[in-house]
């Protein structure tokens, strides 16, 4: 190194202060070394056990929509099945999801005269997904969406509301909503069938390792039985052999702060998460360890309808989705002005809120509020607040009151014209001016909601390795996979995805030749 | 399954036609199984050889900016080094890059009175990177940018132009440009030093496997010597032991159509690539196979300045960057109208062009063209064409002529006002109305240019595994790593990144305890 450069190195030393000073932010990603991730690496590869403690034809990891559907289909095709669930209760994240499922050509669509097709649903998925979807996977979900819905109706006997819902980004109303307004409406019926079919569901059973036996692929799992979430290493080491295959239906990683920050460092602990605490990355990590191909892991969806004053999914989101976004306005409190089309896709809205740098305020009047199921509960909790005038609302939420009142006036004028000249929000036939007291307000801040990325599968739900080859003895379905939704998932498509690919995985796993 | 659902399955069958019909698109991602990817998977793990054919303290994979810098620093620190390059010529993609390097507080900035700081460069990087950058890595690059530049000046004796260049997204002019206007200006000097230092550079040597020995981590490599790119399996299997460490400086995967389509299915073969054909994914795949953590692999940068009528990087991009974008307009031929700020970041512009669905047309007049180095060559090649009037240009490029002429008139009016009221392009002091013949035109269509994602490293350039732990015996630097640039890399920052982390990797690898 020349002399000049040596001299210069003194400057480099003095500049160290910058690195130190900014160390807080740097340390954030460093969390990755000490967070929820506590899984084995290549240096700690799982070995074939001398003796298997248990055997099944098909081992299903996870008991959400996908895992339960896989287990039922595998059983139906004649396989002996076991379901493993790490949490003390079954249902994964599905049991707390919003209970909506998208399908094309459904009985309710027919009843309401809505024309729809798999092609249209596929187009909607690709548009929202920024055309980053894996075409063959997105097509499969669109194509099989009606089958999946009919399976929940005819086989599971799920009860749905009597009308299809029109969610953002879907060209037509095509989403069924369970009567209980939650994924529990489907999961509980799946669990009932699982019980009827005599499929064992072993709770508190944590996947420690997928066991690979050379060219035989995945031949079983090493689990911790009696595991106490989230206690690393709790439970007893148990080896379970899969005569046919293992199905990974272990869900997404929205709740895994260190892992999600590797993919998107903005998503630190200041962002709440709508998922259950078990939505962590160790299953995905285990798949990657055995050579699965990562697909788009940095596309992580934020829900723009989160209320920062309640934990997790909460209930306030219903006010946002049913009342505020379609019939009210979302404003920046600093100005009282709107800043985005309240019915744009989730990514557009969430990014817009984050860009303001502070909580937004959602507003609706009595007309909007009448579409909000469970408003009383929100008011009782203080999630949503009620006021006699917009000015009172503005004072309480520290919104620029004059700005808000001008904004509402302007919005009402656009409504009268039938055209939102500011942000292009599509008005509805049932839209009315925001004018009728009482008025309702809620804070809004995005919450981490869904991980679009995951491992690569083909349309048979087979796991593909880094070489594009099928890994024998293993399938994957649902949120742990990547590619179906591309960059942005549409609301209610997660349920369809999980049921379609869960069923495919179960049916195909059962068809494998037994290695027993 | 209930009867209703069974009946329904007939419809499902009829809908198969949709899947078939759309099979072309589906097959595209299916390419993954038969493309350039030809590497081992977990089922084909590399084993410790009985005998090593060769030994070095430090093995460097790749001979671009990062690899050569790593080798020189490792040698300087006393290590015995060997560089392995799969291609018949050294230099990787660096030797054909644009020759720009970003640094803060440089002699030229001082001379021109430009105030700059690592903090400002860091902020620019995070803004362009949509704050998806790994903070500690971006900080390191900004902080060490001047050291890297001074190393090329004082140690390598690289010749640069006498002025710093102001590239899009940088707050101030901070990019040095080599005299030869290419990365070759740096790489050739690195190669000269490598020769002087007596470091062997083994060309036609293809990395087949990283060899892992349990908790010792990476202990060597299995390579094919005498490999004839891109012939899979050509060459002789050779085992090289690394007493201290292996440094992966093997570059990005822009040229690997199957692998890039897994991450972004839009990037099919219809998109050309600016990289050399060796920019494929097998090195990244090998890192993932041994348990490296994938970081943001779906963020792949397209250069909006590509001319679709020439192959690869070509020369037309200089017309776009130096003439058309700052001093002319880019229009949609269907309307003759502009559709984006010609100086927005690369992603914004590339996405805007793709959204039109067809090649854009770049236009500049004599005033703009005078900033274009090598225009004669472009005209001789037919990349850029020259006309006496805008109407003639419009006829030749099938542009709506009236639309173009109105657009230019409007643009000139904005210029007179000093404000681009259509797209907010920042005008320059040297900007002049587009009016002076001859006029010049070129087609524009994005080309795949840089892969921001890769494997996770820490600020010591150590490889991190899926558990966030350091993998012993291996470092990585340059385009194969992810996180430095986040979602969008700024122009000229690749060179800085490669030199900064290449040097860090080399110095740290040499400090490892010898396992010889």
């Amino acid at each position: 190194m020349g002399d000049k450069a040596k001299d210069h190195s003194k400057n480099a030393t003095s500049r160290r202060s910058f690195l130190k000073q900014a160390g807080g932010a740097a340390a954030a990603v460093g969390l990755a070394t000490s967070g929820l991730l506590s899984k084995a690496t290549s240096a700690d590869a799982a070995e074939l056990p001398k003796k298997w403690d248990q055997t099944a034809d098909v081992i299903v990891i996870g008991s959400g929509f996908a895992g339960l559907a896989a287990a039922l289909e595998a059983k139906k095709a004649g396989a002996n099945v076991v379901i493993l669930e790490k949490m003390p209760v079954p249902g994964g994240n599905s049991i707390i999801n919003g209970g909506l499922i998208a399908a094309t050509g459904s009985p309710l669509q027919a009843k309401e005269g809505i024309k729809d097709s798999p092609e249209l649903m596929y187009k909607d998925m690709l548009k929202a997904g920024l055309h980053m979807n894996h075409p063959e996977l997105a097509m499969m979900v669109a194509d099989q969406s009606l089958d999946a819905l009919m399976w929940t109706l005819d086989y599971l006997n799920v009860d749905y509301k009597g009308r299809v819902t029109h969610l953002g980004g879907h060209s037509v109303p095509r989403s069924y909503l369970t009567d209980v307004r939650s994924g529990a409406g489907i999961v509980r019926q799946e669990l009932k069938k699982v019980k009827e079919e005599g499929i064992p569901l072993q709770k508190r059973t944590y996947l420690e390792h997928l066991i690979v036996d050379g060219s035989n692929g995945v031949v079983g799992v090493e689990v911790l039985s009696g595991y106490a979430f989230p206690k690393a290493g709790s439970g007893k080491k148990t080896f379970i052999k899969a005569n046919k295959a293992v199905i990974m239906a272990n869900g997404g990683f929205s709740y895994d702060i260190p892992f999600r920050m590797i993919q998107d460092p903005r998503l630190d602990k200041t962002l709440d998460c709508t998922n259950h605490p078990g939505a962590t990355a160790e299953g995905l990590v285990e798949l990657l360890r055995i050579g699965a191909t990562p697909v788009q892991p940095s596309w992580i969806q934020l829900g723009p309808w989160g209320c920062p004053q309640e934990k997790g999914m909460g209930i306030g989101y219903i006010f946002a989705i049913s009342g505020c976004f379609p019939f009210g306005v979302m404003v920046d409190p600093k100005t009282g002005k709107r800043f985005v089309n309240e019915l744009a896709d989730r990514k557009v809205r969430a990014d817009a809120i984050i860009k303001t740098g502070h909580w937004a305020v959602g507003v609706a009047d009595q007309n909007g509020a009448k579409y909000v199921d469970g408003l009383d509960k929100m008011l009782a909790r203080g999630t949503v607040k009620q006021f006699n005038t917009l000015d009172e609302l503005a004072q309480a939420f520290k919104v620029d009151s004059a700005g808000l009142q001008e904004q509402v006036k302007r919005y009402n004028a656009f409504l009268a014209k039938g055209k939102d000249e500011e942000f292009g929000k599509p008005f509805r036939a049932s839209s009315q001016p925001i004018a009728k007291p009482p008025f309702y307000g809620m804070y809004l801040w995005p919450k981490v909601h869904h991980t679009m990325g995951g491992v690569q599968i083909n349309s048979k739900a087979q796991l593909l390795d880094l070489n594009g080859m099928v890994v024998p003895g293993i399938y994957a379905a649902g949120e742990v996979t990547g590619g179906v939704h591309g960059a942005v998932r549409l609301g209610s498509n997660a349920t369809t995805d999980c049921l379609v690919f869960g069923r495919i995985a179960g049916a195909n796993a059962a068809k494998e030749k037994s290695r027993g």
Side-chain angles (χ1 to χ4, degrees), chain A:
Chain A
M1 198 181 277
D3 284 340
K4 249 197 269 178
K6 260 185 212 153
D7 288 348
H8 174 73
S9 67
K10 282 177 209 154
N11 295 336
T13 311
S14 72
R15 277 184 289 113
R16 289 283 177 276
S17 56
F18 161 60
L19 283 175
K20 241 183 212 164
Q21 169 203 324
V29 166
L31 261 177
T33 57
S34 61
L36 287 167
L37 287 174
S38 59
K39 290 308 314 287
T41 63
S42 51
D44 176 26
E47 281 176 22
L48 271 176
K50 281 173 195 133
K51 191 182 149 291
W52 295 99
D53 299 301
Q54 188 183 339
T55 297
D57 290 338
V58 174
I59 300 171
V60 177
I61 308 295
S63 64
F65 294 135
L68 297 172
L72 289 166
E73 289 293 346
K75 176 77 183 187
K76 183 181 155 223
N80 165 296
V81 182
V82 61
I83 304 168
L84 309 181
E85 168 57 54
K86 73 179 170 192
M87 305 301 280
V89 289
N93 212 60
S94 305
I95 206 164
I96 61 165
N97 114 325
L100 286 150
I101 171 172
T104 69
S106 67
L108 283 181
Q109 281 188 324
K111 199 173 120 189
E112 297 178 33
I114 296 161
K115 285 203 177 164
D116 198 5
S117 68
E119 290 85 339
L120 188 59
M121 180 169 169
Y122 174 72
K123 274 187 199 160
D124 290 343
M125 291 170 77
L126 260 64
K127 189 178 173 201
L130 305 180
H131 290 264
M132 289 182 73
N133 319 57
H134 282 209
E136 75 283 19
L137 302 183
M139 272 176 207
M140 187 58 83
V141 169
D143 192 63
Q144 299 290 312
S145 62
L146 182 56
D147 279 350
L149 173 71
M150 296 312 290
W151 184 72
T152 69
L153 281 166
D154 298 331
Y155 176 66
L156 298 181
N157 300 310
V158 171
D159 289 321
Y160 291 103
K161 302 275 185 192
R163 292 182 64 89
V164 277
T165 303
H166 194 171
L167 293 172
H170 290 276
S171 290
V172 294
R174 64 165 68 102
S175 304
Y176 273 55
L177 174 60
T178 61
D179 240 3
V180 295
R181 290 185 165 270
S182 154
I186 296 169
V187 170
R188 284 196 195 124
Q189 296 303 99
E190 285 184 299
L191 287 169
K192 202 172 139 189
K193 286 285 178 189
V194 160
K195 203 170 176 183
E196 282 172 22
E197 295 292 336
I199 302 171
L201 195 167
Q202 299 176 203
K203 287 169 278 188
R204 299 182 187 275
T205 304
Y206 178 90
L207 177 78
E208 188 80 348
H209 286 301
L210 292 165
I211 296 177
V212 176
D213 181 16
S215 60
N216 289 327
V218 176
V219 295
V221 296
E222 177 190 327
V223 298
L224 296 169
S225 303
Y227 169 75
F229 179 86
K231 204 173 157 194
S234 61
K236 183 175 163 269
K237 190 187 283 196
T238 307
F239 292 94
I240 311 180
K241 185 181 177 187
N243 281 336
K244 289 172 178 281
V246 173
I247 298 174
M248 292 294 283
N250 54 300
F253 59 88
S254 285
Y255 215 94
D256 199 316
I257 299 172
F259 195 84
R260 78 186 192 209
M261 284 184 70
I262 292 170
Q263 302 309 328
D264 187 343
R266 298 172 307 166
L267 308 185
D268 62 17
K269 63 181 176 183
T270 65
L271 281 167
D272 194 8
C273 175
T274 63
N275 289 199
H276 81 128
T280 48
E282 77 282 346
L284 171 59
V285 161
E286 187 60 12
L287 284 162
L288 294 174
R289 188 187 67 78
I290 69 160
T293 303
V295 178
Q296 308 166 349
S298 61
W299 286 98
I300 301 173
Q301 181 167 80
L302 303 176
W305 24 245
C307 173
Q309 295 187 308
E310 55 182 359
K311 190 101 189 92
M313 194 79 193
I315 52 175
Y317 77 95
I318 299 171
F319 170 76
I321 289 175
S322 315
C324 163
F325 291 162
F327 302 107
V329 291
M330 169 166 63
V331 300
D332 180 339
K334 279 209 175 160
T335 59
K337 289 184 183 165
R338 296 167 71 207
F339 53 93
V340 72
N341 165 10
E342 292 89 348
L343 292 177
D345 78 32
R346 287 172 170 175
K347 181 169 169 54
V348 167
R349 289 178 289 173
D351 285 354
I353 299 171
I354 289 177
K355 209 176 162 190
T356 70
H358 44 258
W359 296 355
V361 176
V363 177
D365 72 350
Q366 196 194 113
N367 287 317
K370 75 173 179 236
Y371 297 96
V372 181
D373 233 43
L375 183 63
D376 287 351
K377 217 173 183 180
M378 297 168 210
L379 290 167
R381 279 198 196 177
T383 310
V384 177
K385 290 190 174 68
Q386 181 179 318
F387 307 91
N388 292 321
T389 65
L390 279 175
D391 183 57
E392 283 173 29
L393 186 153
Q395 303 306 328
F397 282 90
K398 296 189 174 61
V399 177
D400 180 306
S401 183
L404 174 63
Q405 291 178 63
E406 270 168 46
Q407 173 67 76
V408 168
K409 215 164 137 185
R410 210 157 52 245
Y411 180 87
N412 290 343
F414 293 143
L415 185 63
K417 278 197 210 177
K419 192 178 172 195
D420 173 11
E421 291 176 5
E422 279 181 320
F423 297 101
K425 177 160 100 176
F427 295 124
R428 303 191 179 181
S430 48
S431 295
Q432 294 190 36
I434 305 170
K436 199 170 175 186
F439 298 95
Y440 300 87
M442 185 183 90
Y443 281 116
L444 290 156
W445 187 249
K447 298 189 179 192
V448 183
H449 185 56
H450 186 92
T451 50
M452 269 75 67
V455 294
Q456 193 187 11
I457 57 169
N458 62 19
S459 54
K460 294 174 181 169
Q462 293 172 307
L463 187 72
L464 298 182
D465 70 14
L466 288 160
N467 202 16
M469 305 300 285
V470 170
V471 183
I474 186 160
Y475 292 79
E479 197 175 344
V480 73
T481 68
V484 169
H485 309 289
V488 177
R489 177 176 68 75
L490 288 175
S492 81
N493 276 8
T495 312
T496 317
D497 172 20
C498 289
L499 292 179
V500 166
F501 275 110
R503 293 182 71 204
I504 289 172
N508 288 336
K511 276 187 229 151
E512 294 270 345
K513 221 175 84 180
S514 176
R515 301 169 296 196

